[in-house]
Amino acid sequence: MAVNSLHLRLIDEQATVALGNTFAEAVMNQLKCGFVAYLYGDLGAGKTTLTRGFVQGLGHSGKVKSPTYTLVEPYEIGKWHAYHFDLYRLSDPEELEFMGIRDYFDEKACCFVEWPDRGKGVLPNADISISLQYCDEQREVELTAHTSKGRTLLAVLGER
Ligand code: ADP
Ligand code: MG
């Protein structure tokens, strides 16, 4: 039976980056198309760190900065498009309509969305939810698949 959720302990920042790297490998080798991931967790839980691991895993070698003020940071990496959203400062989901949100979510787009609740009603549904929590100095992560794409990703992550 396909697994719908996975729980992992991330002992340090490098482990969070490595999870993002593995995610990128799963997309390049198994999924081979875009997806939507919602990222949950308090400030400093590691949402941006995980996304950095992902875009670097796809082959991005430059900086990965948090799009707190710009709402979205786009990356074009070979044939892949990755979009890192941070909706923390979004006051109204309608702002997403004004920025042409629908154009971002195409077949090739790998989308990571921090604070997805702020875009409720406008954001497309998630294939996978990733919830990060403080656990002393470390972190715990719970990944939940909502679609067959999400289950494909989970299956690969669960093998590690
Ligand atoms: P968020 O985007 O959720 O606000 P960031 O990724 O910007 O969080 O920051 C996370 C902080 O926690 C960084 O300082 C990073 O070094 C640290 N960190 C990330 N993952 C871990 C981990 N598994 N264990 C301990 N510290 C971590
Ligand atoms: Mg962040």
Side-chain angles (χ1 to χ4, degrees), residues 130-150:
I130 304 169
S131 193
L132 289 144
Q133 269 198 344
Y134 284 83
C135 182
D136 301 323
E137 298 298 301
Q138 306 181 348
R139 303 290 187 272
E140 283 184 344
V141 62
E142 178 92 31
L143 301 113
T144 306
H146 307 292
T147 65
S148 62
K149 279 189 191 182

Side-chain angles (χ1 to χ4, degrees), residues 10 12-13 16 42-49 114 137 139:
L10 302 168
D12 57 15
E13 175 180 352
T16 306
D42 292 341
L43 284 175
K47 303 180 295 298
T48 296
T49 305
E114 298 187 37
E137 298 298 301
R139 303 290 187 272

